[in-house]
Amino acid sequence: MKELAFASIKILSEKLARKECSVQELRDFFYNRFERYDTKLGSALELFDKNSVMPQKNQGTLFGIPGLIKDNICQKGRALTCASRILEGFTAPYDATAITRLKNQGALLIGRANMDEFAMGSSTETSAFKKTVNPWNAACVPGGSSGGSAAAVAAGLVPWALGSETGGSVRQPAALCGIVGIKPTYGLVSRYGLVAYCSSFDQIGVVTRTVSDNALILSVMAGRDAMDSTTVHHDIATDYTVRLEKNIKKNLKIGVIDNAFNIEGMGKSSRSLFENSLKEFEKLGAEIVHLSLPTMDYGAAVYFMLSRAEAASNLARFDGVRYGFRASDIHDLTDLYFKTRGEGFGQEVKRRIFIGNYVLSAGHADQYYQSAKKVQAIMRAEFVEAFKKVDLLYAPTSPAPAFKFGAFADNHLEMDLQDYFTAPANIVGVPAISVPCGFVNNMPLGFQLIGPDFSEHLLYQVAHAYEQATPWHTMHPRGFEE
Ligand code: GLN
């Protein structure tokens, strides 16, 4: 059982196939790692009773491979909280489509990952239940909102995990924890069973330590689902693990979004890591083109408006009647709503519901919501235009490595600037992958490649070639030894 903690899914599968270890042994190995390390890391809200975790099928591409699921994705018969008190006591009545597909391939879903409450945040600090620390430095946040998922994978507690993206919640924690994270094209993965935050942006995403592992998990989940009418309508080939090679395709053009580098808060060392990664791409034979996407500068504002608006509508269903928590000492219906929502939601969630209702309110909807929708259309057009000139776009995933806990406590609007880099892909609907590109003061940093609709295969190919040419995926945080 040596060197399993940071092994790839492929290696773990081979060990199982060669009967070098049994499914139970592999499962117990990772459970032991959680027992040993998760008290300090805080990545999981729950690990399921071991005996209830066995593969549903005796075969499949993920047979016996343990993974952790963000706590806003339904697993039948398991608790689901979105890290919010308002869902305490709620049990998911069905499996999300993504979960069904993973189980059908034999995956072992061992628990629920911590997250920002209802996926609202960039640091996992808004979880109502626990703190998750960054495995590289416990004084720093793991990023968010899928911080539990990213921390667990980076620390070798599990080889893969699911997160969800609305404005960067997979890519940003992946970057801050030094691992790979993808946000697929809107509609590639079913949202059936993913708790809605901002439905027109929400997508399930994947975090792993290598690009090929990431491709494997996404391949299992991707594709049309009758339960989600926004999923792809045409058949698409979804085995993203094929043709991942050391080279990239000839004449690949990567467009560097120059205006994304004029951002306050990007230090010299971060900048030079990004520059080095571009040199690496040149060595691989890519042509680097510089361009600017002026609408990107409006992304964080558009995201702010639209995400709050949809959140206000989506979260109206948590009223103390249908789900989870209900306040006590209730006298009438209004009292029920006020007390349940007052006690059940955390501050950040309340703030977003207030703002969402405001930007949708009569007299203000035109000014805020409608304007944001118009800018969204202009952004989409600008990105589509850019993809006529280049194959992929390049930008930092985050301007700096992980920040300290409480860094934005007095100014949560500043925290929203984290979304500047990531939210555009969600607004426009295109896929993007974050890949580790080195360290600043021993803390990891990542860049992202953004591609046109359904270009996941190309993203994986290019990311894989970069990964193979660099040492970053072989480096793991200290203190999580086997
Ligand atoms: N940081 C963003 C936010 O606070 C991202 C959220 C997400 O993608 N779920 O809303």
Side-chain angles (χ1 to χ4, degrees), residues 31-47:
Y31 267 80
N32 289 339
R33 287 190 57 77
F34 269 97
E35 220 161 85
R36 188 151 156 217
Y37 294 118
D38 211 40
T39 337
K40 66 170 179 190
L41 192 65
S43 68
L45 287 170
E46 182 190 357
L47 272 202

Side-chain angles (χ1 to χ4, degrees), residues 119-122 144-145 164-169 197 303 308 352 419:
M120 298 177 182
S122 304
S145 62
S164 72
E165 271 251 4
T166 305
S169 278
Y197 156 26
Y303 173 74
R308 271 68 175 169
R352 293 193 189 201
D419 306 338

Side-chain angles (χ1 to χ4, degrees), residues 9 33 84 89 146 148 199 202 204 265 279 290 306 378 402 440 442:
I9 296 177
R33 287 190 57 77
S84 179
S146 314
S199 323
D202 296 340
I204 290 174
K279 282 188 200 131
H290 285 267
L306 298 182
I378 298 168
V440 172
N442 299 319

Side-chain angles (χ1 to χ4, degrees), residues 207-222:
V207 284
T208 53
R209 289 182 299 267
T210 64
V211 174
S212 61
D213 279 355
N214 207 287
L216 181 60
I217 303 289
L218 185 66
S219 301
V220 170
M221 300 191 298

Side-chain angles (χ1 to χ4, degrees), residues 18-309:
R18 282 196 241 108
K19 306 233 182 304
E20 285 171 31
C21 66
S22 68
V23 170
Q24 284 90 333
E25 279 167 346
L26 192 68
R27 177 197 66 189
D28 294 353
F29 172 81
F30 285 106
Y31 267 80
N32 289 339
R33 287 190 57 77
F34 269 97
E35 220 161 85
R36 188 151 156 217
Y37 294 118
D38 211 40
T39 337
K40 66 170 179 190
L41 192 65
S43 68
L45 287 170
E46 182 190 357
L47 272 202
F48 305 138
D49 171 26
K50 242 191 220 177
N51 302 316
S52 70
V53 175
M54 276 306 280
Q56 248 176 26
K57 295 268 165 72
N58 257 336
Q59 54 193 26
T61 45
L62 296 173
F63 176 67
I65 305 295
L68 195 68
I69 308 297
K70 187 175 181 178
D71 199 27
N72 59 351
I73 303 172
C74 291
Q75 307 184 64
K76 187 175 179 183
R78 307 291 194 189
L80 173 109
T81 67
C82 296
S84 179
R85 284 207 60 207
I86 208 154
L87 274 166
E88 256 181 321
F90 177 73
T91 302
Y94 56 83
D95 275 330
T97 300
I99 295 296
T100 306
R101 292 183 182 179
L102 291 162
K103 283 183 176 173
N104 282 343
Q105 290 301 325
L108 286 192
L109 311 182
I110 68 171
R112 301 184 286 120
N114 196 25
M115 56 184 281
D116 277 303
E117 187 176 2
F118 281 103
M120 298 177 182
S122 304
S123 64
T124 312
E125 287 167 293
T126 73
S127 166
F129 302 125
K130 65 168 13 166
K131 174 171 170 177
T132 304
V133 304
N134 191 303
W136 294 89
N137 178 350
C140 295
V141 303
S145 62
S146 314
S149 307
V153 170
L157 302 195
V158 81
W160 64 275
L162 293 192
S164 72
E165 271 251 4
T166 305
S169 278
V170 166
R171 284 166 289 157
Q172 186 258 18
L176 303 193
C177 289
I179 57 172
V180 179
I182 194 158
K183 180 217 89 88
T185 309
Y186 186 78
L188 184 70
V189 179
S190 171
R191 287 179 296 113
Y192 180 68
L194 167 68
V195 178
Y197 156 26
C198 170
S199 323
S200 71
F201 296 166
D202 296 340
Q203 272 293 290
I204 290 174
V206 186
V207 284
T208 53
R209 289 182 299 267
T210 64
V211 174
S212 61
D213 279 355
N214 207 287
L216 181 60
I217 303 289
L218 185 66
S219 301
V220 170
M221 300 191 298
R224 169 117 191 96
D225 175 24
M227 301 305 281
D228 174 0
S229 61
T230 62
T231 48
V232 259
H233 284 259
H234 50 282
D235 276 335
I236 35 167
T238 56
D239 186 357
Y240 302 120
T241 62
V242 295
R243 296 194 316 279
L244 297 183
E245 286 153 12
K246 285 201 163 140
N247 304 316
I248 54 175
K249 74 166 191 173
K250 284 221 166 71
N251 307 322
L252 183 90
K253 270 194 193 167
I254 299 179
V256 179
I257 308 177
D258 273 341
N259 45 312
F261 286 82
N262 302 331
I263 279 298
E264 241 180 85
M266 186 181 301
K268 252 203 185 145
S269 341
S270 303
R271 196 177 292 269
S272 73
L273 283 190
F274 296 130
E275 282 161 6
N276 290 344
S277 70
L278 288 169
K279 282 188 200 131
E280 204 58 57
F281 279 118
E282 274 181 323
K283 274 198 232 156
L284 286 166
E287 183 187 341
I288 305 295
V289 182
H290 285 267
L291 45 80
S292 104
L293 293 179
T295 60
M296 180 151 170
D297 297 345
Y298 300 93
V302 169
Y303 173 74
F304 185 91
M305 230 65 93
L306 298 182
S307 64
R308 271 68 175 169

Side-chain angles (χ1 to χ4, degrees), residues 84-88 117 318-321 323-346 350 354:
S84 179
R85 284 207 60 207
I86 208 154
L87 274 166
E88 256 181 321
E117 187 176 2
F318 302 107
D319 54 4
V321 178
Y323 305 94
F325 170 76
R326 176 181 298 176
S328 48
D329 195 22
I330 304 289
H331 302 290
D332 56 29
L333 190 64
T334 316
D335 209 30
L336 171 75
Y337 294 157
F338 267 98
K339 283 201 176 126
T340 302
R341 289 167 70 82
E343 292 166 29
F345 286 135
K350 284 182 192 159
F354 281 133

